[in-house]
């Protein structure tokens, strides 16, 4: 069989699979026409804003003004986070977050317990953050852990599933058991930034059986809001002797 025939056969097979199981937008559930749509319908895609320059060189917050260079934002200069750099695949405005397709798909994934969303969302994140991931020489991936009670209810750790895709695309080892969550923190959506930080204090502990001394680590989480969660994880990892810590999230809530 010539390569051309193989292509034709693969195309026909794709068409047949799409006909039997019409692909649906992962966020709103509308029919997707054509495989190029990549998981979302065109309406949902039009609302998803990929993170682009200029942005904060520490927390990765995109600046509203499209011109100018990257620089550290005022919040990072004041608070000096424990991680070196954070980056998100896409962002949504906090005031619109209830309606936003990216927020909705994350809610479905986490609270609708749609485990199957882990692969497509992780793939988007892994492929879409190539520039960032190419700049950090990470030795190990560490997902932000869930408290055992929440893990039992959900059945999976969403950050672990996203981390698995990054690990497989970039061939970086992944360890789910470096950090423990020993405090079941309530949802932080309604809290102020100060309360979020207080809420997270002491929420994580390092697994004493894991050696992370001088290792460059990549922390993975689903959403970056105030950065309180990933900053607390980074603090614990640094205290345990880790080297540089980078952070990657699927989404970022922006003000
Ligand atoms: Zn849609
Ligand atoms: Zn910043």
């Amino acid at each position: 069989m010539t390569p051309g025939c193989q292509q034709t056969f693969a195309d026909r097979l794709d068409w047949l699979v799409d006909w039997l199981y019409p692909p649906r937008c992962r966020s709103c559930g509308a029919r997707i026409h054509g495989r190029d749509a990549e998981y979302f319908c065109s309406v949902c895609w039009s609302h998803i804003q990929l993170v682009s320059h200029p942005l904060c060189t520490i927390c990765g917050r995109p600046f509203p003004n499209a011109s100018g260079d990257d620089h550290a934002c005022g919040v990072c200069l004041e608070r000096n986070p424990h991680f070196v750099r954070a980056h998100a695949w896409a962002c949504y405005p906090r005031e619109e977050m209830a309606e936003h397709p990216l927020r909705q798909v994350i809610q479905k994934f986490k609270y609708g317990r749609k485990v199957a969303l882990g692969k497509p969302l992780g793939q988007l994140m892994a492929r879409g953050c190539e520039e960032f991931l190419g700049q950090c020489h990470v030795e190990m991936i560490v997902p932000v852990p869930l408290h055992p009670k929440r893990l039992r209810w959900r059945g999976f750790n969403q950050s672990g599933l996203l981390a698995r895709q990054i690990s497989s695309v970039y061939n970086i080892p992944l360890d789910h058991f470096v950090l423990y969550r020993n405090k079941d923190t309530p949802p932080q959506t309604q809290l102020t930034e100060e309360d979020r930080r207080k809420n997270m204090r002491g929420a994580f502990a390092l697994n004493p059986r894991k050696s992370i001394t001088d290792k460059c680590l990549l922390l993975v989480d689903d959403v970056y809001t105030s950065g309180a969660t990933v900053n607390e994880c980074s603090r614990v990892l640094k205290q345990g002797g880790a080297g540089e810590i980078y952070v990657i999230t699927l989404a970022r809530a922006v003000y």
Side-chain angles (χ1 to χ4, degrees):
M1 195 182 272
T2 65
C5 288
Q6 278 175 3
Q7 184 61 46
T8 307
F9 178 71
D11 283 349
R12 282 183 185 162
L13 196 62
D14 280 351
W15 181 87
L16 185 65
V17 170
D18 285 356
W19 185 74
L20 287 170
Y21 307 101
R24 300 255 167 204
C25 171
R26 301 308 198 271
S27 184
C28 72
R31 277 283 299 273
I32 295 175
H33 302 283
R35 299 184 76 77
D36 292 344
E38 284 268 40
Y39 311 130
F40 297 112
C41 70
S42 53
V43 177
C44 287
W45 264 123
S46 70
H47 288 93
I48 296 174
Q49 190 192 340
L50 302 184
V51 169
S52 59
H53 299 281
L55 39 77
C56 170
T57 46
I58 300 174
C59 72
R61 179 167 75 91
F63 295 123
N65 192 340
S67 61
D69 295 328
D70 293 352
H71 58 89
C73 73
V75 176
C76 288
L77 288 173
E78 189 190 318
R79 298 204 186 126
N80 204 11
H82 295 280
F83 51 82
V84 178
R85 267 180 76 195
H87 189 75
W89 170 66
C91 55
Y92 50 74
R94 277 196 82 181
E95 63 273 17
E96 291 171 24
M97 72 182 187
E99 309 287 309
H100 197 278
L102 184 56
R103 165 83 173 180
Q104 284 182 346
V105 76
I106 293 170
Q107 297 290 95
K108 252 192 209 179
F109 181 33
K110 286 164 72 171
Y111 303 108
R113 295 190 277 188
K114 301 277 186 210
V115 65
L117 287 170
K119 189 170 179 183
L121 295 177
Q123 286 280 320
L124 285 170
M125 189 176 166
R127 297 199 308 253
C129 299
E130 199 179 352
E131 183 194 326
F132 171 76
L133 289 164
Q135 288 166 356
C136 22
H137 303 285
V138 171
E139 295 167 86
M140 191 197 281
I141 301 177
V142 176
V144 170
L146 285 184
H147 187 270
K149 207 169 101 187
R150 201 164 295 203
L151 184 62
R152 273 196 300 277
W153 176 82
R154 190 169 296 156
F156 61 90
N157 175 5
Q158 72 279 359
S159 304
L161 295 187
L162 297 172
R164 193 185 290 171
Q165 296 306 315
I166 298 175
S167 168
S168 100
V169 171
Y170 294 92
N171 205 17
I172 307 168
L174 163 66
D175 195 326
H176 294 273
F177 306 105
V178 171
L179 286 173
Y180 288 123
R181 192 162 192 147
N182 47 27
K183 197 166 130 189
D184 189 19
T185 47
Q188 308 208 93
T189 324
Q190 306 303 326
L191 300 182
T192 64
E193 291 211 12
E194 185 54 38
D195 287 340
R196 279 167 190 258
R197 275 200 299 280
K198 279 188 200 151
N199 200 26
M200 292 319 296
R201 192 83 187 169
F204 300 96
L206 187 65
N207 181 346
R209 289 192 223 163
K210 300 287 178 182
S211 170
I212 54 162
T213 310
D214 295 331
K215 274 195 177 148
C216 179
L217 306 174
L218 178 71
L219 258 177
V220 179
D221 206 0
D222 52 346
V223 180
Y224 185 115
T225 307
S226 67
T229 305
V230 289
N231 197 40
E232 178 62 11
C233 288
S234 304
R235 190 186 66 79
V236 170
L237 292 167
K238 288 297 283 183
Q239 210 170 46
E244 292 187 329
I245 295 166
Y246 293 87
V247 174
I248 193 164
T249 59
L250 176 68
R252 163 116 199 186
V254 286
Y255 294 89

